[in-house]
């Protein structure tokens, strides 16, 4: 629970007064940074902790600066009846978490390398990963059971699909955490435009669903 | 199967829309603070020294590109008080306050203790954002020159005393950087001490 020293500063903050902004920062930086860091660590852990903690602290520091700056700019939107000002600043930071921290986590995960489905060794490594499960894939024990049971079938479908369909699905939905803009991140890594990647994914998803529903077992007739 | 898939897609779409709306909402949902409380119990394990360094970096950014006078004027205006009122609260003469706000006041003529009293009168309990602009001003006004013997010059209208000092020493004596830095830090410490004493 935070104290209420911010109440004295609020009238000055509403006038964009820089000294009061500095006082607000000095009083609540530790609280806001600490809370956002705890949230970011959970996020990072859930993705297998691809971002080292010192780097995560730098990212959260950037996020904290952004949260305070946004809060100062939009202080007119703040309604004291709906909660304490420091909590509102954390809310602003939480909204930016996917952008700053999420992107770094996605890149961190992806920096481990691409999956080349035509390479047997890479394929074996991918299968290991799929069987080990990524934390963001399995949300609860029930999902985990379903995932394990359906894993073999999914792998068979992916192996039978055209290679770039399978790779697009794996890169976006398995190897990249569900953060905003993940299709764009993967597109850049695969040297495609976002719209080309989006189109490839749509075709891949349609093909995957058709195979899953017991349709085609051979290569997609629509071509790649 | 097809109908179920359509339903799933619609559900996913609706969830994404809700999630985006949640992220973009200007205010947190009810019980957000209670949720934060569960997080705030545990320590982050980040060292105090690291936190201090991070805090100060942003403070310096907030004060960047702003003069001490401008910041003090904005503070006074945000408080809704005029120069006369600040003068009454701080025992500063109104014309000196005007000079300070207009960045025309020579810091060499301002006691650090009196500046501390003024800052307290403006509701401050520490230098905060003012620290960097004050340090820069002090570097210019309290510069210590390497000895070059006495240098004489006339006062000129429209030229402040610190500008005159600087111009007289130009090409005559170099600034003693170490002595200046000591002078500046001493001045800032005295301002801080004065504020601490007044605030009890």
């Amino acid at each position: 629970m935070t104290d209420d020293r911010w109440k004295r500063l609020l009238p000055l903050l509403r006038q964009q007064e820089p000294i009061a902004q500095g006082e607000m920062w000095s009083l609540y930086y530790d609280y806001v940074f600490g809370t956002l860091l705890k949230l970011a660590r959970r996020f990072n852990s859930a993705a297998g902790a691809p971002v080292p903690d010192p780097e995560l602290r730098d990212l959260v520091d950037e996020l904290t600066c952004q949260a305070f700056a946004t809060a100062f700019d939009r202080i007119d939107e703040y309604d004291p009846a709906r909660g304490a000002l420091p909590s509102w600043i954390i809310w602003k930071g939480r909204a930016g978490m996917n952008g700053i921290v999420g992107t770094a986590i996605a890149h961190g995960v992806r920096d481990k390398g691409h999956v080349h489905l035509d390479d047997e060794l890479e394929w074996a490594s991918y299968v290991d990963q799929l069987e080990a499960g990524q934390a963001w894939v399995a949300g609860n024990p029930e999902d985990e059971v379903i995932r394990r049971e359906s894993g073999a079938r999914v792998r068979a479908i992916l192996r039978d699909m055209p290679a770039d369909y399978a790779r697009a699905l794996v890169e976006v939905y398995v190897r990249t955490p569900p953060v905003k803009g993940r299709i764009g991140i993967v597109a850049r890594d695969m040297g495609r435009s976002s719209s080309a990647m989006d189109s490839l994914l749509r075709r891949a998803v349609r093909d995957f669903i058709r195979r899953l529903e017991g349709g085609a077992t051979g290569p997609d007739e629509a071509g790649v | 199967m097809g109908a179920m898939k359509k339903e799933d897609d619609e559900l996913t779409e609706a969830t994404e829309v809700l999630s985006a709306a949640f992220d973009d909402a200007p205010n947190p949902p009810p019980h957000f603070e209670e949720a934060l409380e569960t997080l705030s119990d545990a320590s982050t394990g980040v060292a105090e020294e690291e936190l201090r360094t991070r805090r100060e970096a942003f403070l310096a950014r907030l004060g960047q590109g702003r003069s001490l006078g401008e910041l003090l004027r904005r503070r006074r205006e945000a408080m809704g008080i005029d120069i006369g009122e600040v003068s009454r609260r701080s025992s500063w003469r109104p014309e000196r306050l005007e000079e300070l706000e207009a960045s025309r006041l020579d810091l060499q003529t301002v006691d650090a203790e009196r500046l501390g009293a003024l800052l307290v009168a403006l509701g401050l309990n520490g230098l905060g954002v003012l620290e960097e602009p004050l340090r820069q001003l002090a570097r210019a006004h309290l510069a210590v020159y390497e000895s070059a013997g006495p240098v004489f010059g006339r006062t000129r209208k429209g030229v402040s005393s610190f500008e005159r000092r600087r111009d007289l020493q130009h090409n005559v004596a170099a600034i003693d950087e170490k002595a200046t830095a000591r002078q500046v830090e001493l001045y800032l410490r005295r301002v801080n001490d004065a504020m601490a004493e007044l605030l009890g």
Side-chain angles (χ1 to χ4, degrees), chain B residues 8-30:
Chain B
D8 280 353
D9 282 349
E10 281 170 0
L11 185 66
T12 306
E13 204 174 303
T15 311
E16 279 170 5
V17 169
L18 275 174
S19 174
F22 184 73
D23 281 346
D24 295 340
N27 286 299

Side-chain angles (χ1 to χ4, degrees), chain A residues 66-142:
Chain A
Q66 185 184 286
F68 271 92
T70 306
F72 292 155
D73 281 350
R74 298 187 184 171
I75 194 72
D76 287 345
E77 294 173 6
Y78 169 64
D79 176 3
R82 301 181 69 161
L85 182 56
S87 307
W88 190 67
I89 296 174
I90 291 171
W91 175 250
K92 295 289 171 203
R94 198 210 61 90
M97 182 76 75
N98 265 357
I100 293 177
V101 179
T103 303
I105 290 173
H107 279 295
V109 169
R110 299 188 52 75
D111 282 349
K112 291 175 182 168
H114 290 301
V115 177
H116 299 288
L117 298 172
D118 45 352
D119 180 320
E120 279 303 315
L121 282 175
E122 294 266 1
W123 174 252
S125 136
Y126 160 64
V127 170
D128 286 347
Q129 267 188 45
L130 193 69
E131 280 175 349
Q134 297 280 16
W136 65 83
V137 175
N140 58 50
E142 192 185 350

Side-chain angles (χ1 to χ4, degrees), chain A residues 16-220:
Chain A
Q16 306 289 333
E17 199 276 294
I19 299 174
Q21 291 176 345
E23 287 178 271
M24 187 70 198
W25 169 266
S26 297
L27 289 171
Y28 297 105
Y29 171 83
D30 292 5
Y31 172 63
V32 174
F33 172 81
T35 307
L36 290 175
L37 181 60
K38 286 170 197 165
L39 289 171
R41 280 176 175 163
R42 285 186 181 192
F43 195 8
N44 192 37
S45 295
V51 181
D53 202 63
E55 193 184 322
L56 196 66
R57 295 206 293 271
D58 285 345
L59 291 168
V60 172
D61 183 54
E62 189 185 333
L63 184 65
T64 307
C65 291
Q66 185 184 286
F68 271 92
T70 306
F72 292 155
D73 281 350
R74 298 187 184 171
I75 194 72
D76 287 345
E77 294 173 6
Y78 169 64
D79 176 3
R82 301 181 69 161
L85 182 56
S87 307
W88 190 67
I89 296 174
I90 291 171
W91 175 250
K92 295 289 171 203
R94 198 210 61 90
M97 182 76 75
N98 265 357
I100 293 177
V101 179
T103 303
I105 290 173
H107 279 295
V109 169
R110 299 188 52 75
D111 282 349
K112 291 175 182 168
H114 290 301
V115 177
H116 299 288
L117 298 172
D118 45 352
D119 180 320
E120 279 303 315
L121 282 175
E122 294 266 1
W123 174 252
S125 136
Y126 160 64
V127 170
D128 286 347
Q129 267 188 45
L130 193 69
E131 280 175 349
Q134 297 280 16
W136 65 83
V137 175
N140 58 50
E142 192 185 350
D143 286 349
E144 179 64 15
V145 170
I146 294 168
R147 189 185 65 78
R148 283 180 185 279
E149 282 181 354
S150 57
R153 189 162 173 227
V154 167
R155 281 199 301 279
I157 291 173
L158 286 172
R159 192 188 288 273
D160 289 342
M161 287 174 89
D164 60 349
Y165 278 13
R167 183 175 168 201
L169 292 174
V170 169
E171 294 285 348
V172 173
Y173 297 113
V174 179
R175 293 181 61 85
T176 310
V179 296
K180 213 180 263 181
R182 67 174 161 174
I183 295 176
I185 293 170
V186 176
R188 273 197 302 280
D189 284 0
M190 288 178 70
R192 291 172 182 266
S193 68
S194 288
S195 58
M197 186 73 207
D198 195 54
S199 163
L200 175 65
L201 261 182
R202 283 172 193 277
R203 280 179 284 135
V205 168
R206 273 200 303 271
D207 187 61
F208 183 84
I209 290 168
R210 196 166 53 244
R211 289 167 191 272
L212 193 65
E213 289 176 352
T217 50
D220 181 21

